[in-house]
Amino acid sequence: MADAVTTTVPDAGDSTARKPHPALALLGMTCGLGVILVLMLLVFIMPSLRSGPHDLQVGIVGTSAAADRFETSLATAAPDAYTSQRFASEQELRDAIHDRDVIGGFVVAESGVRTLVAGAGSTAISGSLAGTAQAVGGAIGTDVTVEDVVPLPESDPTGVGIGGLAFPLVFGGIVPVVAFRKILPRSDGWYLTGLLVFAAVGGIVVASILTFAFGSIESTFGPVAGSMALGIAALALPLAGLQKAFGAKGFTIGAMAMMFLGNPLAGIATTSAWLPSGLGTFGQILPPVLPEPSCARPHTSTAQADSRHS
């Protein structure tokens, strides 16, 4: 009688039969992490390298002939960088700068050009505007002076306190979603309450540090604290919704998008108009959204010197 043929069936639970060779796993993981590293470099560094003024609103005051001449020279010196708007008087231009309708402006006279900038709005923009004015003044043969009509506080003359807000706000919006879900796994009501309470407390804490410790803000405390709280809530609540709807994967995707896209494309220190076209607009869709570049505006004699910081 012929011997029975014995067939060995691999154990369904034997995972070693399905695992790739360690060398292949190592190669795949290395390539994947390398791609992520390249994307991170592009997202965080490329916007800065490709940044610059484009279509920034500026005001011009002066007689028709002098203003026309200056406007033509401005367009030649910095093509597509600025969009000019005429004002009837210097006071109207100053009010527009305080209201953030324009980022600065020029008072053109026979004796020279006075450049009005707002350092508290953005040191990058004010510096670029002053440099452009000097170039135009040299081209048309006139003297140029620069006046900072909304300067940064003396305690933070470079605006570091405001410019560094993006990462703390993103971090403050992500961590509570995990922490409160961990301690309140079955109570959505208390979970939501915890996120809102933390957002309020976080807004007060951040505003207090910026105001009393760093001196980056010299304006009304309440609106600043409220805007910070709204910024944290704008991060935490969508992440909580993604986590509820799609679980850990939804939270991870949302957190990565806000950390690696919303953070570098927020335009906090320079406004979105300074970023490459398209990227700045996309960045404003994601939290943290801070379209006004700085709330570090000192008190002035006008009511316009508030602390709007959406």
Side-chain angles (χ1 to χ4, degrees):
M1 184 176 64
D3 293 338
V5 178
T6 303
T7 304
T8 303
V9 180
D11 186 359
D14 186 5
S15 59
T16 59
R18 296 188 299 272
K19 284 186 176 180
H21 191 277
L24 293 177
L26 186 148
L27 179 62
M29 181 61 70
T30 301
C31 293
L33 293 177
V35 170
I36 294 175
L37 182 60
V38 170
L39 293 176
M40 289 180 62
L41 288 172
L42 292 176
V43 169
F44 278 89
I45 297 178
M46 187 182 69
S48 298
L49 292 176
R50 299 292 185 265
S51 293
H54 53 86
D55 297 328
L56 297 175
Q57 291 286 336
V58 296
I60 296 179
V61 176
T63 61
S64 179
D68 288 343
R69 181 186 178 195
F70 183 87
E71 195 171 30
T72 300
S73 298
L74 179 65
T76 302
D80 302 322
Y82 304 102
T83 300
S84 60
Q85 178 180 350
R86 300 291 180 91
F87 288 88
S89 67
E90 180 179 340
Q91 186 58 50
E92 288 186 10
L93 174 57
R94 288 176 177 268
D95 290 342
I97 295 173
H98 279 289
D99 287 336
R100 298 173 182 172
D101 294 329
V102 295
I103 54 94
F106 309 94
V107 180
V108 184
E110 294 297 331
S111 58
V113 176
R114 284 192 295 114
T115 305
L116 306 182
V117 301
S122 169
T123 55
I125 289 178
S126 61
S128 175
L129 190 63
T132 301
Q134 294 291 347
V136 173
I140 63 178
T142 188
D143 294 331
V144 176
T145 58
V146 179
E147 179 184 353
D148 195 341
V149 297
V150 191
L152 284 161
E154 293 182 1
S155 301
D156 187 8
T158 59
V160 173
I162 299 299
L165 273 180
F167 183 79
L169 284 179
V170 171
F171 186 81
I174 291 175
V175 173
V177 176
V178 178
F180 282 107
R181 178 52 74 191
K182 187 71 174 179
I183 65 174
L184 299 167
R186 295 182 177 84
S187 178
D188 290 341
W190 282 109
Y191 173 54
L192 180 61
T193 300
L195 294 179
L196 294 175
V197 169
F198 176 83
V201 172
I204 294 173
V205 169
V206 173
S208 297
I209 293 175
L210 290 176
T211 302
F212 304 116
F214 297 161
S216 300
I217 294 175
E218 293 180 347
S219 55
T220 308
F221 179 82
V224 175
S227 65
M228 299 297 173
L230 290 175
I232 294 174
L235 287 157
L237 295 181
L239 288 178
L242 289 171
Q243 185 184 56
K244 180 70 174 179
F246 305 107
K249 291 182 179 180
F251 170 82
T252 301
I253 293 174
M256 291 181 65
M258 293 179 183
M259 180 68 75
F260 298 125
L261 294 178
N263 182 13
L265 301 181
I268 291 178
T270 59
T271 77
S272 61
W274 191 261
L275 297 172
S277 299
L279 288 180
T281 302
F282 176 71
Q284 293 301 290
I285 300 174
L286 300 173
V289 180
L290 301 170
E292 301 296 349
S294 175
C295 61
R297 303 178 63 183
H299 289 298
T300 67
S301 59
T302 63
Q304 284 100 358
D306 54 32
S307 60
R308 285 173 294 172
H309 184 64
S310 170

